[in-house]
Structures are given as structure tokens and as C-alpha cells.
Amino acid sequence: MTTGFTEPAKKHLGQNFLHEKGVIAKIVQAIDPQPGDVLVEIGPGQGALTFPLLERHGELTAIEFDRDLHAPLQAAARAHGTLHLIAGDVLDVDFSALAARAGDARGQIRLVGNLPYNLSSPILFHALEHAGAIRDMHFMLQKEVVERMAAAPGSKVYGRLSVMLQAYCAVTPLFTVPPGAFRPAPKVDSAVVRLVPKPASAIAVRDPTAFADAVRAAFGQRRKTLRNALSGIATPEQISAAGLRPDARAEQIDVAGFVRLANLVAARGG
């Protein structure tokens, strides 16, 4: 699949354009668009994933920050389907409003994209804020980021990103992508991951702000015990009441433990 244009990648925007046909086919297969789905792509770039999705599904909304790509994207897309292009920063896009306006029968959208390495975490946290409006997400990210997203307690890479995402989503790594699948080739492997937001009834977090604050503080200084890392948020007695050891470290605590602690602190007013 050719894009019809070859705008050079811009290093300051973290652009690495996917070109390997076999990888693109695997991503489209993993997404498996169905009639009625509302697909929203983050950072279509030169359209390597955009155009195959258009051919498979017929219609797609894409969010692109680089204005130099807008005209060639629109022109090349006409041969494949209907492209709705949103110009701007994805972090400024209200996914909930977008879903309310153009979502499927459930008022939801499906997010896809090859995320720039330097913005992957902010984009993931932004998506979490609108999880109720999102049916699922299929993202290509740096492999080590995907490993952090899916990590279990006790792992060296288990951290804030792991806890925050797993509290609200089912996280499933799908496959690894080598550097040669991109132009220019990055210096690290990439990976594709699927995130499926949990239904509201399955999310145990009562106060999202209190939960986020507790997780951020706990992992802010990983070598500290919970007693010290959370000294401004929870007392040792509250930590114990949540079924956790005050002398434990953040990487030893599972997602449910953080949820219990944050809920208890929120219920007692901090």
C-alpha cells in the first residue's frame, strides 16, 4: 500500500512513519473494523494505516497535528474512502464530545494510532479521562512502554502507568514490531497493544483524583516505603487498614491494593 506522498518525517514531532505492509495488515486484522464502528486515528502521518482502514471500513476520522500533512492526506484518501480530518493537538480533542456527536450506537469511538514516543504517556492518560466514550484502543508504542503498561506487581517495570491503566482497562500486548518497519527507523523495538476500557460497574475507583494522587505519590520515589512516600496523603494506620504493609514499596502493591487505599482515604476525607 502506498500513501501517494512522501512528506519527510519531522524529528521534533517524533514522527516515524510505518511502511511495512505485513505489519499494517496485522494491525488492521487486530482492529477488525465492523459496520457501525466509528474509528478515530491519532496521528495518521502519511496514511500507511489510514488508507487500509478506509478500504476496509469506508470511513475514518483522523487527528493530525502536522498541517503540512493535511492536504496530501485529504487528496490521497479520496481513492480509499471518506476521511474526516481534525487539525490540531490530540491532547486538546474532547473524545467524549466526539463520541457524543459521531459515536456508534452506544455513543462510543474506537481509537487507533501509531503514537509518537515522546507523547505516548500523555496521550494514554488523556484517553483515560474519556474512557467511558471509548470502546477500545489499538496503539503502536515503544515496546518498553507496552511492557510497563501490562506489567504485574513485583516487576522492575511495574509503575504508575501500569496501575493507572490497569485500574480502568484490560491491557493486552499483541505483537512486537521491528525498527525496520518504519521510516526513519527508530533505535528501539515497537509493539502493538489493545486496551479495552472496563464498564463503569467494574471500576472500583470511587474518587479518580484521590486514586491518581496516591499512585503518583507512591511511585514518585520508588525506593521509599509507603509510610514515607504517602506521608502527605495517608497515615500508617490508614495504609494498614487498607490491608497493606506501611513498610512495603509501591512496586509490591497490586492495583486492587491501591484502589482500596485511595477509596479509604477519600472516604475519610484524606
Side-chain angles (χ1 to χ4, degrees), residues 121-252:
S121 290
I123 291 173
L124 290 168
F125 283 118
H126 180 58
L128 277 187
E129 295 175 3
H130 301 273
I134 299 169
R135 180 145 64 88
D136 60 18
M137 301 171 251
H138 290 81
F139 292 142
M140 177 124 61
L141 306 105
Q142 192 170 334
K143 183 182 177 184
E144 69 173 36
V145 175
V146 172
E147 291 172 344
R148 284 165 47 205
M149 293 164 64
S155 165
K156 291 183 179 179
V157 295
Y158 179 74
R160 178 184 173 224
L161 187 65
S162 321
V163 175
M164 293 300 298
L165 288 175
Q166 293 174 34
Y168 295 99
C169 302
V171 181
T172 307
L174 298 180
F175 52 88
T176 301
V177 180
F182 302 89
R183 294 193 188 101
K187 296 180 180 179
V188 295
D189 285 340
S190 300
V192 176
V193 64
R194 175 185 291 129
L195 299 100
V196 180
K198 298 176 181 179
S201 60
I203 296 173
V205 177
R206 296 174 187 167
D207 185 328
T209 300
F211 178 67
D213 288 346
V215 175
R216 184 185 298 108
F219 285 101
Q221 299 182 62
R222 294 179 69 99
R223 293 188 176 184
K224 285 191 173 185
T225 63
L226 293 181
R227 175 188 286 107
N228 293 326
L230 298 175
S231 60
I233 292 177
T235 66
E237 291 74 23
Q238 288 175 319
I239 295 171
S240 296
L244 309 177
R245 289 187 5 246
D247 63 343
R249 288 178 169 79
E251 64 266 23
Q252 299 172 285

